[in-house]
Amino acid sequence: MTDHAQRSFRALADPTRRDILRLLSQHEMTIAEVAENFQMTRAAVKKHLSILQDGELISMRAIGRTKVNALNPDGMKRINDWLSYFDTFWDDKLADLKTSIEKDMQ
Amino acid sequence: MTDHAQRSFRALADPTRRDILRLLSQHEMTIAEVAENFQMTRAAVKKHLSILQDGELISMRAIGRTKVNALNPDGMKRINDWLSYFDTFWDDKLADLKTSIEKDMQ
DNA sequence: CTTAAATGATACCATTTGGTATCTCGATAA
DNA sequence: TTATCGAGATACCAAATGGTATCATTTAAG
């Protein structure tokens, strides 16, 4: 669980948490504001927010007695970095295809 | 669970399964070949492969009595599509920043 | 045909996960 | 100061998850 990528991927694996991310892409929100958009208790939403924070997909900053949640690019970057490994794979596949086609044409 | 994106994200949420994907990026492998690379039973590896297939991150085709596993771009595409929603978010953030800077300069 | 190898299927176990309920803490408004 | 509201913490529960062990099925090889 010390793996950063693992924390980010885990955080994305729940539909509620992905919905929260889309919500926060509109504007920052307190825990209570986020919770208004779901049919579960604030405590449950808070857990989701903690997991999102653990995956560095959101950041939380205290303002008085409220806590404001905002998207954090770090987690997204980590996900994209991991996925980019496979971009080169697809490129290689296309190159292989091109090579075999050229071979066929000889 | 009928949501395709959910199946793909869920499949990526386990480190063993992500390792399997990287393995398969080298070349296709049978279940037994994949299992050689892990310290768990073949049955456990098979479960992971089934979940990866469910998320359309790999495809399996039977060859005689063996089953060959290969990467499937469909699942990756679904992940990238979902993530791309936030690309525009980051772009907007940058645009907002640019706007506020321009405003400051007036 | 018989046997062994690769996979499929099932039952079972421990742990994690998503959720609720409840209590406490801390800041703010009166 | 005091009452209150947003948040943190904890205990608890049901279901999902990752794993094993075991048995059945199919196919290739002698």
Side-chain angles (χ1 to χ4, degrees):
Chain A
M1 204 83 91
T2 87
D3 184 1
H4 281 218
Q6 172 57 20
R7 299 182 187 208
S8 300
F9 274 109
R10 173 202 174 213
L12 281 180
D14 181 274
T16 298
R17 289 196 286 269
R18 292 199 302 280
D19 287 344
I20 289 177
L21 289 178
R22 294 210 131 165
L23 255 185
L24 293 180
S25 75
Q26 307 305 314
H27 53 79
E28 306 181 334
M29 298 173 84
T30 65
I31 298 178
E33 284 172 336
V34 172
E36 283 172 14
N37 293 273
F38 298 92
Q39 298 172 16
M40 64 185 73
T41 62
R42 229 174 343 141
V45 170
K46 167 61 168 64
K47 275 194 183 181
H48 284 304
L49 288 170
S50 295
I51 292 173
L52 285 169
Q53 187 186 24
D54 187 59
E56 294 182 286
L57 289 161
I58 68 170
S59 61
M60 300 174 65
R61 68 175 195 281
I63 295 201
R65 70 180 163 185
T66 74
K67 235 160 193 181
V68 177
N69 303 271
L71 288 194
N72 178 359
D74 294 350
M76 287 289 185
K77 176 168 182 355
R78 206 157 280 129
I79 297 284
N80 279 316
D81 286 350
W82 192 91
L83 291 174
S84 71
Y85 176 87
F86 292 92
D87 291 345
T88 70
F89 170 78
W90 304 128
D91 290 346
D92 288 352
K93 275 292 171 200
L94 288 177
D96 289 353
L97 183 62
K98 185 161 173 286
T99 304
S100 67
I101 289 175
E102 285 168 354
K103 214 164 186 174
D104 283 350
M105 293 177 66
Q106 286 174 2
Chain B
M1 204 88 85
T2 87
D3 184 1
H4 281 218
Q6 173 56 20
R7 298 183 187 207
S8 300
F9 274 109
R10 173 203 175 211
L12 281 180
D14 182 274
T16 299
R17 289 196 285 270
R18 291 198 302 278
D19 287 344
I20 290 177
L21 290 178
R22 294 209 131 164
L23 256 184
L24 293 179
S25 75
Q26 306 304 314
H27 52 80
E28 304 181 335
M29 299 174 85
T30 65
I31 297 178
E33 284 172 335
V34 172
E36 284 171 14
N37 294 273
F38 297 92
Q39 297 173 17
M40 64 184 74
T41 62
R42 191 185 41 77
V45 170
K46 168 61 167 64
K47 274 194 184 182
H48 283 304
L49 288 169
S50 294
I51 292 174
L52 284 169
Q53 186 186 26
D54 188 58
E56 294 183 285
L57 288 160
I58 68 171
S59 60
M60 300 172 67
R61 67 175 194 282
I63 296 201
R65 69 179 163 185
T66 74
K67 229 156 197 186
V68 177
N69 303 271
L71 288 194
N72 178 0
D74 294 350
M76 289 287 184
K77 178 168 179 355
R78 207 157 280 130
I79 297 284
N80 279 316
D81 285 351
W82 192 90
L83 290 175
S84 70
Y85 175 85
F86 292 92
D87 290 345
T88 68
F89 170 78
W90 306 127
D91 290 347
D92 288 352
K93 274 293 171 200
L94 289 177
D96 290 351
L97 183 61
K98 185 160 173 288
T99 304
S100 67
I101 289 175
E102 286 168 353
K103 216 165 185 175
D104 283 349
M105 294 175 65
Q106 286 174 3

